[in-house]
Amino acid sequence: PADAAELHPQPDGAAFFTIYSDSQSCILWGIRLGPTDEPYAPILAGPPEFPDRDTDREPYLSFPHLTFQAPTLEAFLYRWWLENTIWYATRWHADKRALNAEEQAYLDHLAR
């Protein structure tokens, strides 16, 4: 149901809306919805903290160390896809292959 969406209130009046999680929930990716009427919000990521505190909502999560990941959802999806493609090409034995020009250019950009 819509009311069960993972919207986590933050101390500054903002909220962190989870859009993606790795398989163990070590890092959650989401949109930080500011306390104002900002038209768009960047995609952020961070490890959730599970503080010891009584709450009626489960789970209670805070995200004090969010990092910028992408300016838009489209940019995030492209980055996620490309980074996973590179990982499989370089680390996954069954799929190992040389990187194509786009993949290599992305790595070169990150190395700068």
Side-chain angles (χ1 to χ4, degrees):
D3 61 352
E6 291 193 36
L7 187 62
H8 310 287
Q10 300 301 294
D12 66 354
F16 183 80
F17 181 72
T18 303
I19 61 169
Y20 183 70
S21 172
D22 69 349
S23 60
Q24 291 84 29
S25 293
C26 295
I27 297 288
L28 301 179
W29 286 263
I31 299 171
R32 183 183 185 280
L33 304 171
T36 63
D37 293 332
E38 300 165 353
Y40 299 100
I43 306 299
L44 305 169
E49 291 187 2
F50 302 90
D52 295 327
R53 111 174 205 177
D54 295 326
T55 179
D56 293 335
R57 292 187 310 249
E58 190 61 37
Y60 172 76
L61 303 176
S62 66
F63 299 88
H65 306 292
L66 293 172
T67 59
F68 178 80
Q69 298 292 303
T72 65
L73 180 60
E74 293 84 357
F76 168 76
L77 292 174
Y78 173 75
R79 179 181 176 180
W80 177 88
W81 168 80
L82 188 58
E83 289 177 359
N84 277 279
T85 300
I86 292 169
W87 186 87
Y88 277 98
T90 60
R91 304 286 183 217
W92 196 257
H93 182 72
D95 292 333
K96 267 193 162 180
R97 60 171 173 77
L99 296 179
N100 64 36
E102 180 181 18
E103 294 161 346
Q104 189 60 57
Y106 180 77
L107 290 180
D108 292 344
H109 173 77
L110 291 179
R112 287 191 242 159

